[in-house]
C-alpha cells in the first residue's frame, strides 16, 4: 500500500515536470519552421516593431519595409514592414534576428508571419502555417 502511494506520487511528480513544456506551448497558433507561436508572442513582436516604426527608431535595422517580392496574399493592404519574432519567445531588441518575421502595415495591422526556414533561396521567405 505504502509502495503504491510512493509510486503514484513519483509518477505524478515526473509527469508534471515532463508535461510542462508541452502544456505551456499548447495554445500556439502558427508554426514557422519548427517553432509554434502563441497569439501573445505575435502581439508582443508586432507591438515592439510598430512602436519602433512610429517613433522612427530601429534595432539592428528592424523594422524595415518588406516589399513582398514573394507576392504573398496578405489580408491587409501595404506598405508592409517586417520585424523579427524570435524562437526563444522573447521580444527582439537587437542581435541575431533568427529566421521568423511578423509582417504588419503602416497602421499596425497584422498581415502575417513569414520565415526564411524552408525557403529555396537563402534570403527568400515562405509563409508560416496554422498550427
Ligand atoms: O531582414 P530580412 O529577413 O528581410 O536576407 C535576410 C535578411 O533580410 C538575411 O539577412 C538579411 C538581413 O538580416 N537573413 C538574416 N537572417 C536570416 C536567416 N536566419 C537571413 N536569411 C536566412 N535565414
Amino acid at each position: 500500500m505504502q509502495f503504491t502511494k510512493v509510486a503514484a506520487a513519483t509518477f505524478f511528480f515526473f509527469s508534471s515536470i515532463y508535461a510542462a513544456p508541452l502544456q505551456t506551448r499548447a495554445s500556439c497558433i502558427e508554426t514557422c519552421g519548427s517553432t509554434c507561436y502563441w497569439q501573445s508572442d505575435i502581439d508582443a513582436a508586432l507591438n515592439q516593431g510598430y512602436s519602433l516604426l512610429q517613433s522612427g527608431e530601429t534595432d539592428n535595422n528592424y523594422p524595415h519595409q518588406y516589399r513582398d517580392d514573394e507576392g504573398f496574399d496578405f489580408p491587409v493592404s501595404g506598405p508592409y514592414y517586417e520585424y523579427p519574432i524570435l524562437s526563444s519567445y522573447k521580444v527582439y531588441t537587437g542581435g541575431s534576428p533568427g529566421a521568423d518575421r511578423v509582417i504588419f502595415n503602416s497602421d499596425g495591422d497584422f498581415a502575417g508571419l513569414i520565415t526564411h526556414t524552408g525557403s529555396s533561396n537563402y534570403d527568400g521567405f515562405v509563409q508560416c502555417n496554422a498550427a
Side-chain angles (χ1 to χ4, degrees):
M1 190 61 177
Q2 195 57 32
F3 173 77
T4 312
K5 279 186 188 160
V6 171
T10 307
F11 171 78
F12 284 115
F13 176 72
F14 282 104
S15 58
S16 66
I17 290 177
Y18 289 111
L22 296 175
Q23 283 166 359
T24 53
R25 302 311 303 171
S27 305
C28 68
I29 57 167
E30 200 154 342
T31 303
C32 304
S34 57
T35 309
C36 192
Y37 294 102
W38 282 24
Q39 184 66 56
S40 55
D41 302 324
I42 299 168
D43 293 346
L46 192 157
N47 287 341
Q48 178 76 3
Y50 187 55
S51 95
L52 288 170
L53 181 72
Q54 285 179 304
S55 61
E57 294 171 71
T58 54
D59 265 328
N60 192 24
N61 198 32
Y62 292 100
H64 56 242
Q65 194 162 356
Y66 170 64
R67 294 196 316 261
D68 195 18
D69 290 345
E70 282 82 4
F72 298 131
D73 192 13
F74 294 125
V76 295
S77 57
Y80 301 113
Y81 297 87
E82 59 172 281
Y83 197 72
I85 180 167
L86 299 181
S87 59
S88 62
Y89 310 116
K90 293 185 177 132
V91 172
Y92 181 77
T93 53
S96 169
D100 306 337
R101 306 283 183 269
V102 60
I103 306 297
F104 52 92
N105 68 11
S106 42
D107 291 329
D109 298 324
F110 175 70
L113 287 189
I114 61 176
T115 178
H116 290 299
T117 304
S119 169
S120 43
N121 314 321
Y122 176 73
D123 284 350
F125 285 109
V126 296
Q127 281 184 295
C128 301
N129 302 305

